[in-house]
Amino acid sequence: MDETGTAESKVLNILHNIKEKDVPFERVLSSMCTMPHPLAVKAHTEFIETNLGDPTVFSGTKELEGRVITMLGSLLHAPNAHGYVTAGGTESNIQALRAARNLSGKAHPNVVIPESAHFSFDKAADVLGIELRKASLDEEFRVDPASVEVLTDKNTIALVGIAGTTGLGQIDPIDVLAEIALSHDLFLHVDAAFGGLVIPFLDKEYSFDFKVQGVSSMTVDPHKMGTSTIPSSALLFRDRACLDALTTSTPYLASRAQHTLAGTRTGASIAATYAVFKYLGRSGYKRIVTRCMKLVSMIEQEAAVMGIPLAIQPVTNVIALRVNSPEEVAFRLKERNWYVSTIFEPKALRLVVMPHLTEEILNTFLDDLKDVLGVAKC
Ligand code: PLP
């Protein structure tokens, strides 16, 4: 830090210049985040100083958090869900498994997750001292329930299913996992960090949420397809006892207890989430998801013309192209200032079609992809 301060205009100028180094979202097909909705940004700014580390002081903001949880709960068939807004899907997944562990009282707990699960579960296992068992997938890259059964034993405390996998956007058979969970009296967590604000708005219906008896908790992230500001994920429990299992007493605050992982935490992104939910409503999200899925179909058609097979028929707004040498293709695209990711199982170029993308952007991208792959433009 310098001894004396710097003029505001100079500071802002430094910030502006540094931000130029960031990639604008228009070139990003690798992220599950997007540009926040302008109203979310306004609401975020309005609540910038709020701290839900002490909800007694910020009781209005706390009320908004309750409304967000109820709105998500009602969307996901648990209008009386209990939970709170976390800093991201990672925190929600850690806290879900923490609740399962605390309720189980087992000395050597293990959790069965799909091989396709997000790496946040590896962090959760490390932090919580839980053994992770990774169940294999079927040919469509959904978890294989038979493998889940085989891995479950007397020390298993929870099963995890993914509704919208990070790699392929695939949806696990949550109803079948729920049958296994109920038959062994196990906690079932559904990680819908990505899919929670996509799947309810698809034309096809899926059983993936609290409508399925046996689902104990869900992660759903408004800072992904919800177009809210970062950081906003929600952890939802069907039963109050799960939230209570996370309680820590907080003797020196105006509030006496917390069930969050973070202490000081912003209310700004909670206000942003409330604003965007209220403003868009279910019909607004339906429009966003329908538009993204149309763009996915457009890429799918172009891939067919180019003779590129897909890893799976897209289920949500993620499409994976089985090009030769995906790493090399991603590198060549980066030279043209496109940011895509690659996956290893199956080997493919992964494109996430988020709301910041348009037909025009994707046409330019596809032209570059054709060039990179050596396919002549029509
Ligand atoms: N779960 C899934 C399915 C995800 O796709 C992601 C991130 O992409 C996460 C959890 C972690 O979310 P975050 O990066 O917000 O912690």
Side-chain angles (χ1 to χ4, degrees), residues 32 87-91 93 118 120-121 162 164-166 191-194 219 221 223-224 233 350:
M32 288 186 147
T90 300
E91 182 185 336
N93 287 340
H118 185 261
S120 48
F121 290 100
I162 317 294
T165 59
T166 313
D191 179 2
F194 179 67
T219 291
D221 290 7
H223 70 201
K224 294 190 168 71
S233 166
R350 164 187 175 265

Side-chain angles (χ1 to χ4, degrees), residues 289-300:
V289 169
T290 304
R291 200 183 136 266
C292 290
M293 292 309 289
K294 269 201 185 129
L295 294 177
V296 168
S297 300
M298 182 185 128
I299 299 175
E300 195 182 330

Side-chain angles (χ1 to χ4, degrees), residues 269-326:
S269 51
I270 292 171
T273 301
Y274 176 78
V276 78
F277 280 3
K278 195 79 187 151
Y279 181 74
L280 290 175
R282 294 185 191 203
S283 61
Y285 281 108
K286 175 90 192 161
R287 277 196 300 279
I288 291 175
V289 169
T290 304
R291 200 183 136 266
C292 290
M293 292 309 289
K294 269 201 185 129
L295 294 177
V296 168
S297 300
M298 182 185 128
I299 299 175
E300 195 182 330
Q301 280 164 23
E302 284 299 313
V305 172
M306 289 188 261
I308 305 171
L310 303 182
I312 57 167
Q313 187 61 32
V315 177
T316 55
N317 44 326
V318 180
I319 179 164
L321 310 179
R322 302 202 69 166
V323 296
N324 290 327
S325 314

